[in-house]
Amino acid sequence: MRPIPRTIEAIGQALTAEKRARFYGEVQTAEQGPELDGVLERWWMDAVLDQVPGRRRRHADGVAGRNLVPLPKPRGASER
């Protein structure tokens, strides 16, 4: 995966056209400070995760309940 700088320009370029429009809409209305920082952080994570091969297919499978894998029980969990 290629690194994505946490800048408005880099995040916008890394997103799909549909996501980019939503991202710029949020950036343009966010106030400087924690609100804008939060917008950048959320969309940066989305842009990074979009680079993971097969992400969209796996997400669609999860939403549809297909190809689910059971998780192991946590260590120390009691049997009920």
Side-chain angles (χ1 to χ4, degrees):
M1 291 183 358
R2 64 182 172 79
I4 300 172
R6 293 180 191 213
T7 65
I8 293 170
E9 179 72 18
I11 295 168
Q13 287 180 357
L15 295 168
T16 63
E18 176 190 340
K19 289 182 178 183
R20 187 176 307 118
R22 293 188 352 241
F23 166 68
Y24 284 133
E26 288 185 33
V27 165
Q28 290 173 349
T29 60
E31 289 191 29
Q32 183 178 4
E35 184 180 4
L36 179 57
D37 293 344
V39 169
L40 293 175
E41 183 70 14
R42 282 190 310 278
W43 284 103
W44 176 82
M45 285 188 285
D46 202 87
V48 168
L49 290 172
D50 273 351
Q51 294 185 82
V52 176
R55 177 186 185 217
R56 290 185 183 156
R57 179 189 44 79
R58 286 192 306 277
H59 181 263
D61 284 350
V63 169
R66 296 184 300 255
N67 302 320
L68 301 178
V69 177
L71 296 175
K73 291 184 181 180
R75 283 187 278 174
S78 63
E79 295 290 325
R80 290 186 185 180

